[in-house]
Amino acid sequence: MDQSNYDYIIAGAGAAGLSLLCYLLAEENLAQKSILLIDSDLKKTNDRTWCFWQQEQGPFESCLESQWEKLMFHSPDFSEQVDIGPYKYKMLTSIAFYQHCFQLIEHHPKVVFKQDQITSIHPNGSVVGTKDSYKATYVFNSVFRNPAQSTHTHYLLQHFRGYFIETDQPTFDVEKPVLMDFRVEQDQDCRFVYVLPTSPYRALVEYTGFSTTMLESAQYDRALDGYIRTYLGLNDYRISHVESGVIPMTNAAFPVGEGAIVNIGTAGGATKASTGYTFSFIQKQCQAIARRLAFGQSPTSAERFKLNRFALYDRIFLRVLKEKKRPSWLVFNDLFKQLPAALILRFLSEETNVWEEFRLTNVMDKPTFILAALREATAH
Ligand SMILES: Cc1cc2nc3c(=O)[nH]c(=O)nc-3n(C[C@H](O)[C@H](O)[C@H](O)COP(=O)(O)OP(=O)(O)OC[C@H]3O[C@@H](n4cnc5c(N)ncnc54)[C@H](O)[C@@H]3O)c2cc1C
């Protein structure tokens, strides 16, 4: 048993664990706290790319791969370049983020990293791994477990595969990243591609679906190759890196924690149920935890992390996606055709006011959404 009793254990050194670490280290009041970071992985591979929008400069600005002020939206109905000011759409590769955070640890003698496979975490603050056992006042846990589902919850998967492609000739317009392109075959599902050019010679092209099941592996490859040939006009390209993933889209309640355990990241409910976007919510969640600790407060707030009305919108949206009464591409089309993109992004960031939300709901297809809202209201 590791005899040290740490102030904080951070279980999982992914987006949430490392973000929290950075926010804790930025708090002068917490400078003397001992922190143990545990992960089964050394975090030396580029296992994902995070995209998110932000108005202000964030703490990971120096690691950004690219950022854009305008985005393209394509559907079978219309194509438009939309201005997202005051936001910027940012792209961060996980390897740059991991390296940045691990370099920070080197300057902090009170932070220890241990590579271990965690087998259990207990409300008294003890963490059991395959190599050792550890103890702390608080355990910030991002080791994911699927939350319990009930007949009233929705559970969709956001599943995707992305190619980083390279060309010998200048091919991509770095001023025209594509947020969503719904011109691909929908197969009665919700499918789109996004294209993020980081230079005239290089872009991330990612094929994404929202559905209850994933596709066969070959289907992602076929769809990506077809898109690259048809819409990017490329017959000759190299794939320098492939990323695949699945993000849970569910309104099931993620447990906040118990006793000394505080769940963070996807495990702590930071994934927005209706979009799968998580990175920005992790930043808000972890920053708030560090601030409360610095003020000598409990790390979890008495108020829920998400405001209830946004949770309700998520539930309605998940039902609309699941029941497919209106083609999903049309749902996004209704929004992007009629409203400023910045308002849509602000809504998805859960930062709109009720009047703005009225504007948003007003452009949605009324029969579809009213029916879904009524079914949600009577589901409990
Ligand atoms: C490929 C991919 C791309 C994504 N892209 C975006 C995006 O563009 N924008 C966005 O907002 N969100 C995105 N997400 C969703 C979300 O932001 C990420 O999943 C994010 O990494 C979640 O952070 P986390 O800390 O909760 O989990 P993770 O980053 O997965 O961290 C969990 C950590 O726990 C460790 N771990 C797990 N089990 C154990 C164990 N038993 N013992 C020890 N360690 C353990 C893992 O090794 C990992 O390091 C993406 C997800 C994936 C999978």
Side-chain angles (χ1 to χ4, degrees), residues 14-16 39-40 43 48-51 116-118 266 278-279:
D39 203 294
S40 52
K43 311 306 289 181
R48 61 201 64 187
T49 310
W50 291 296
C51 296
D116 200 352
Q117 175 84 28
I118 296 165
T266 300
T278 313
F279 195 80

Side-chain angles (χ1 to χ4, degrees), residues 5-291:
N5 203 341
Y6 297 91
D7 289 304
Y8 310 138
I9 290 177
I10 299 181
L18 291 174
S19 297
L20 178 64
L21 180 71
C22 293
Y23 290 116
L24 293 174
L25 296 179
E27 293 290 349
E28 274 180 30
N29 286 357
L30 305 177
Q32 293 312 312
K33 300 291 183 189
S34 54
I35 304 175
L36 171 65
L37 180 66
I38 309 174
D39 203 294
S40 52
D41 188 69
L42 290 175
K43 311 306 289 181
K44 294 209 185 292
T45 54
N46 192 24
D47 55 6
R48 61 201 64 187
T49 310
W50 291 296
C51 296
F52 53 97
W53 54 92
Q54 227 174 16
Q55 279 191 50
E56 67 288 352
Q57 299 254 312
F60 307 113
E61 216 68 15
S62 62
C63 326
L64 291 180
E65 171 110 5
S66 287
Q67 52 184 311
W68 302 272
E69 292 173 0
K70 291 182 178 163
L71 298 169
M72 298 293 301
F73 178 89
H74 295 289
S75 77
D77 177 43
F78 89 114
S79 285
E80 197 166 281
Q81 186 173 34
V82 294
D83 195 331
I84 58 165
Y87 293 107
K88 286 190 176 148
Y89 198 70
K90 302 183 177 182
M91 178 184 183
L92 178 63
T93 57
S94 60
I95 192 64
F97 171 81
Y98 300 146
Q99 280 170 357
H100 169 86
C101 297
F102 276 90
Q103 271 166 17
L104 210 62
I105 296 173
E106 285 170 19
H107 299 107
H108 287 85
K110 294 194 77 90
V111 182
V112 178
F113 173 74
K114 296 218 172 163
Q115 187 183 15
D116 200 352
Q117 175 84 28
I118 296 165
T119 52
S120 60
I121 304 179
H122 303 270
N124 68 356
S126 69
V127 175
V128 181
T130 49
K131 294 183 187 162
D132 215 336
S133 299
Y134 318 91
K135 198 155 191 327
T137 310
Y138 286 115
V139 181
F140 299 100
N141 168 47
S142 59
V143 174
F144 179 71
R145 273 199 195 91
N146 261 320
Q149 299 290 327
S150 77
T151 49
H152 302 313
T153 53
H154 308 295
Y155 190 89
L156 293 181
L157 303 173
Q158 178 175 148
H159 48 97
F160 46 88
R161 179 166 299 170
Y163 290 169
F164 276 92
I165 58 171
E166 292 175 354
T167 56
D168 291 328
Q169 303 301 321
T171 305
F172 307 107
D173 185 346
V174 289
E175 302 297 326
K176 291 194 170 164
V178 178
L179 178 69
M180 290 179 136
D181 189 340
F182 283 102
R183 292 173 297 177
V184 291
E185 175 59 53
Q186 296 294 298
D187 215 3
Q188 299 192 325
D189 237 329
C190 176
R191 307 218 182 138
F192 60 91
V193 172
Y194 62 82
V195 184
L196 300 174
T198 57
S199 86
Y201 302 91
R202 189 168 178 270
L204 169 62
V205 185
E206 198 143 313
Y207 178 77
T208 304
F210 296 169
S211 53
T212 46
T213 52
M214 292 176 64
L215 305 179
E216 297 289 326
S217 177
Q219 285 179 278
Y220 297 97
D221 292 323
R222 263 201 308 277
L224 277 164
D225 187 60
Y227 184 87
I228 292 166
R229 288 175 194 279
T230 310
Y231 294 103
L232 302 182
L234 286 175
N235 289 320
D236 192 18
Y237 63 91
R238 288 183 303 280
I239 302 170
S240 62
H241 181 71
V242 180
E243 73 165 32
S244 302
V246 187
I247 304 174
M249 297 171 74
T250 180
N251 62 316
F254 284 81
V256 177
E258 187 187 355
I261 308 171
V262 179
N263 292 324
I264 57 172
T266 300
T271 296
K272 184 161 174 69
S274 58
T275 64
Y277 278 106
T278 313
F279 195 80
S280 299
F281 290 101
I282 284 177
Q283 302 314 310
K284 286 185 193 170
Q285 185 190 48
C286 292
Q287 202 167 16
I289 290 173
R291 290 266 69 199

